[in-house]
Amino acid sequence: MCPIIGLVVVNDKRLLNPLVCHQAHMLVTYQYDGQSRSDTLLYDPILLERFKSGQSCQVLADGHGIVQA
């Protein structure tokens, strides 16, 4: 599990997957193997609220990106 160090809702349509562009996304920055990495996830209001409240949030990730939130 990798700790989330940044989370923002994506408003820039260029960063969205065109196949699901009608759905909101979040840009997630997380720590993996000592490095900061970023990936996008579908909008998750529970994860966003948890992160904003200061609770510890983690994602399952590998060298290619987030596997599971």
Side-chain angles (χ1 to χ4, degrees):
M1 296 299 286
C2 303
I4 294 176
I5 55 177
L7 189 88
V8 294
V9 176
V10 176
N11 293 317
D12 189 340
K13 297 275 189 222
R14 294 172 295 174
L15 298 176
L16 301 178
N17 181 338
L19 298 176
V20 289
C21 64
H22 62 282
Q23 296 178 318
H25 286 68
M26 301 183 301
L27 182 62
V28 180
T29 304
Y30 57 96
Q31 193 79 26
Y32 176 78
D33 199 25
Q35 297 180 355
S36 294
R37 298 185 180 224
S38 296
D39 201 355
T40 56
L41 290 175
L42 287 176
Y43 179 76
D44 182 344
I46 296 170
L47 180 62
L48 183 61
E49 275 305 310
R50 185 176 178 154
F51 182 79
K52 284 184 175 182
S53 71
Q55 296 182 41
S56 176
C57 299
Q58 297 182 333
V59 290
L60 181 60
D62 61 17
H64 301 290
I66 295 174
V67 176
Q68 183 179 8

